[in-house]
Amino acid sequence: MKIILLGPPGVGKGTQAKFLMDRLSAVQLSTGDLLRAAVREGTELGKSAKGYMDRGELVPDDVILGLIGERMQELGDKAVIFDGFPRTVSQAEGLDSLLERLNLQVDKVVELVVDDEVVVERLGARRSCPACGRVYNLMFAPPERDEICDDDGTKLILRDDDQESVIRNRLQIYHKQTEPLSEYYQKAGILVQVPGDGKVDEVREKVAVAFV
Ligand code: AMP
């Protein structure tokens, strides 16, 4: 089973992906997490991606498809939840042909729908651990100690790409480049839309309905 979580930055795709992983015994594949790990490790991929990420722009499709291609070889027919990928029609087409070669297909796309202003508010309250990558939200899921990572005691940071001007840029890019995927998957008959602005548990319940 291959599932895509679609939705703007900050809508809670990562959080919902974690629930679905447990429920469906699936692996989460987040291109954002893979890229951030590459930046932390200082690899060639990380170096070439960092500028795009800091500006809130998309990393070029060929880089992303190369990254996904490698993983798909390793994962084969395991259940996978794609989080933050695909982000352009060209990435979606690339994924379709990658899967086709492996005799597989995308089974379901869950789109989390939310207003831009909710995203701006949520991401402004998001903090990340620069050492381990764990993500907190000062409004909904704060750390135990003020702005300190529960796992390793590192001071949390506001990601460069969670600054308000960058968030607004990311939202514009989302509407222009990623939102067309909603129609792409609707035409394929595999799209389920879920409101993403409730409490985490409410959204989880609604997402779960798509898998009964
Ligand atoms: P995310 O954590 O998914 O919001 O990703 C953070 C940043 O990584 C994005 O703003 C992009 O710069 C980059 N990125 C992540 N996934 C992709 C993708 N599928 N295509 C292009 N850029 C991506």
Side-chain angles (χ1 to χ4, degrees):
M1 191 153 190
K2 309 290 179 208
I3 295 151
I4 294 171
L5 281 177
L6 191 63
V11 71
K13 297 187 295 293
T15 307
Q16 296 302 329
K18 299 264 167 357
F19 294 138
L20 283 178
M21 273 169 77
D22 288 344
R23 201 187 156 93
L24 306 171
S25 307
V27 178
Q28 176 194 15
L29 223 168
S30 155
T31 40
D33 285 350
L34 292 176
L35 292 169
R36 276 185 292 277
V39 171
R40 277 201 300 274
E41 288 157 17
T43 64
E44 284 310 309
L45 167 69
K47 283 183 205 152
S48 63
K50 188 173 186 318
Y52 296 102
M53 295 171 75
D54 286 348
R55 291 189 298 273
E57 291 167 12
L58 296 185
V59 173
D61 289 338
D62 54 340
V63 175
I64 298 289
L65 283 168
L67 193 65
I68 290 286
E70 276 171 32
R71 301 282 150 155
M72 292 316 296
Q73 295 285 350
E74 295 161 16
L75 291 170
D77 60 3
K78 267 204 187 133
V80 178
I81 299 161
F82 295 99
D83 159 12
F85 170 85
R87 262 177 154 96
T88 61
V89 170
S90 148
Q91 288 182 18
E93 289 168 349
L95 177 62
D96 282 346
S97 36
L98 257 171
L99 290 175
E100 213 172 282
R101 259 177 268 151
L102 299 167
N103 253 327
L104 299 165
Q105 63 189 17
V106 177
D107 296 284
K108 195 162 291 201
V109 179
V110 178
E111 181 181 10
L112 298 173
V113 184
V114 81
D115 272 358
D116 285 4
E117 292 314 310
V118 175
V119 167
V120 172
E121 193 184 8
R122 279 193 193 174
L123 288 187
R126 185 153 87 170
R127 296 291 181 277
S128 319
C129 174
C132 71
R134 182 164 167 188
V135 178
Y136 298 84
N137 188 293
L138 300 182
M139 285 154 66
F140 312 114
E144 279 169 26
R145 282 188 292 151
D146 195 29
E147 310 223 4
I148 301 287
C149 180
D150 291 347
D151 292 341
D152 55 29
T154 307
K155 174 105 179 78
L156 302 179
I157 55 160
L158 177 69
R159 267 164 49 180
D160 287 342
D161 61 346
D162 284 344
Q163 310 283 346
E164 183 168 342
S165 60
V166 182
I167 295 171
R168 300 240 177 237
N169 190 31
R170 289 165 74 194
L171 281 168
Q172 264 188 2
I173 291 172
Y174 179 80
H175 291 307
K176 204 163 151 219
Q177 296 191 261
T178 309
E179 222 163 45
L181 291 182
S182 181
E183 198 186 326
Y184 181 91
Y185 290 117
Q186 192 153 32
K187 279 191 183 142
I190 53 174
L191 181 77
V192 182
Q193 288 181 313
V194 173
D197 54 0
K199 293 212 178 82
V200 170
D201 287 350
E202 289 165 8
V203 179
R204 178 176 54 176
E205 291 305 312
K206 289 180 191 149
V207 170
V209 171
F211 293 93
V212 288

